Amino acid sequence: MLELLAPAKLNLGLEVIRKRDDGYHDLTTMFCAVSLFDKIRIHRSATDALVVSDPALRDGNLILRALDLWDAAGLNRPALEIILRKRIPAAAGLGGASSDAAAVIRALAESSDFGTGAPEVTSLAARLGSDVPYFLRGGRAIGEGRGDLLRPLPYIRLAAVIITPALEIADKTRSMYAALGPDDFSDGSRLQRLIEEPYLIFDRRDASMPNAFERPLYAFYPELASVAAAIRVATGQIPSVSGAGPSLYLLARTLREAHDMRRIVAGLNLAVPCALFCVRAIRSNAGFAKRRG
Ligand code: C5P
């Protein structure tokens, strides 16, 4: 039996640069893996089965698509029972589904003697979704192209309070990209500055990290804008958007500082009920698979 931890990510800035001919968008983002995890247990079994703690997330789950693509590529594996315990909120801008699929691909690759960097494995990950290749390694990285061209960056110590509103956005990622207007595109230079001077992410006088989805999200979901405004007034910090939202986060230098901010946010009467998580940055996904029994 194998037990895997699949971490969430935050986007420490996300600029959308252009729409491409294939319908995707080129972007520049800084991914950072954080200590909020889904747990996955994998057993050999007579037939494939996926059990999810939230049964609504079973059909169309990216783990099932990962198994299908693995088989379609002619790669070998045993039949597996996979038990997924979700803690990362779904479709919330935190990469949970992509991380779950990447964790399973890593486990399959490692048990087949492929490295996780093998071209078969990375191209399979990219076909599953734009964020999946990032989660093969995790840690902090720049994502370019549609998010799948990656450059690892050194670890920096940071903590955060993640604020995930109970807001369901149908077909979220696709519809948020479609909602971008001409002024939401930018040239990547603000991200470039954050790459060169990563500690600017803690600069609270700045308008936090840029995120191209912030304007359309706040325009289409004014209740989210009012959550962000209330948090800003109460904490003196501008919340940032992760991915295509709707999760927001506040950065801190230490978990203790994050817990203090969490208490402030928990005391607010927000326009939308929100789940709150205190997290810290994690170095990489290496060592997150444990063999038991
Ligand atoms: O790659 P993924 O399956 O996460 O993308 C979902 C949808 O989001 C795509 O079909 C596309 O409409 C949009 N997308 C995009 N540009 C990206 C990533 C996603 O337009 N870089």
Side-chain angles (χ1 to χ4, degrees):
M1 195 263 271
L2 202 58
E3 206 168 77
L4 313 173
L5 290 178
K9 56 85 177 156
L10 294 176
N11 295 84
L12 307 180
L14 190 161
E15 290 187 67
V16 179
I17 294 169
R18 68 180 74 80
K19 183 159 185 190
R20 316 189 326 186
D21 293 339
D22 64 4
Y24 282 92
H25 293 75
D26 281 327
L27 54 84
T28 307
T29 188
M30 191 189 295
F31 292 112
C32 182
V34 293
S35 58
L36 170 65
F37 301 102
D38 287 342
K39 284 193 181 157
I40 303 172
R41 290 206 326 228
I42 303 183
H43 306 261
R44 282 180 183 242
S45 162
T47 51
D48 281 344
L50 174 67
V51 181
V52 188
S53 54
D54 176 353
L57 299 178
R58 190 194 168 281
D59 287 347
N61 194 288
L62 268 194
I63 290 178
L64 295 175
R65 288 187 36 212
L67 295 181
D68 286 346
L69 282 188
W70 186 269
D71 297 341
L75 304 171
N76 285 328
R77 65 174 179 88
L80 299 170
E81 182 190 42
I82 300 179
I83 299 167
L84 169 60
R85 242 180 48 222
K86 289 294 296 177
R87 261 201 88 215
I88 306 171
L94 303 174
S98 299
S99 186
D100 298 342
V104 170
I105 295 171
R106 274 172 62 98
L108 289 173
E110 280 161 15
S111 64
S112 324
D113 292 333
F114 283 121
T116 45
E120 294 88 335
V121 175
T122 48
S123 80
L124 195 150
R127 280 163 61 206
L128 276 172
S130 305
D131 284 355
V132 181
Y134 158 70
F135 282 107
L136 290 176
R137 178 185 170 279
R140 195 165 68 97
I142 294 300
E144 290 174 316
R146 65 181 175 95
D148 58 334
L149 304 178
L150 296 159
R151 261 187 299 147
L153 291 174
Y155 167 81
I156 54 175
R157 184 175 147 174
L158 62 85
V161 188
I162 300 175
I163 302 126
T164 302
L167 200 65
E168 282 199 22
I169 306 177
D171 197 7
K172 191 215 43 186
T173 307
R174 200 198 52 74
S175 62
M176 289 317 304
Y177 272 102
L180 294 171
D183 291 345
D184 300 322
F185 289 81
S186 52
D187 64 1
S189 55
R190 290 182 69 190
L191 249 298
Q192 193 50 46
R193 194 153 162 254
L194 285 180
I195 297 164
E196 285 158 14
E197 295 180 59
Y199 289 92
L200 284 178
I201 60 178
F202 294 112
D203 189 344
R204 288 172 196 172
R205 290 159 304 172
D206 200 335
S208 76
M209 264 77 58
N211 184 310
F213 298 107
E214 188 171 310
R215 186 208 58 83
L217 267 173
Y218 291 166
F220 290 132
Y221 302 95
E223 62 276 40
L224 186 63
S226 79
V227 166
I231 292 172
R232 181 179 179 169
V233 168
T235 64
Q237 222 194 111
I238 302 168
S240 303
V241 173
S242 187
S247 292
L248 308 177
Y249 63 89
L250 298 168
L251 283 188
R253 287 183 185 268
T254 62
L255 260 183
R256 188 193 197 124
E257 206 181 306
H259 280 291
D260 289 344
M261 286 196 297
R262 180 189 190 282
R263 260 192 299 280
I264 296 174
V265 176
L268 300 174
N269 185 15
L270 295 171
V272 189
C274 292
L276 304 178
F277 306 92
C278 285
V279 296
R280 61 182 173 74
I282 53 176
R283 282 172 199 276
S284 85
N285 294 357
F288 283 170
K290 291 202 172 57
R291 205 163 284 283
R292 295 193 198 279

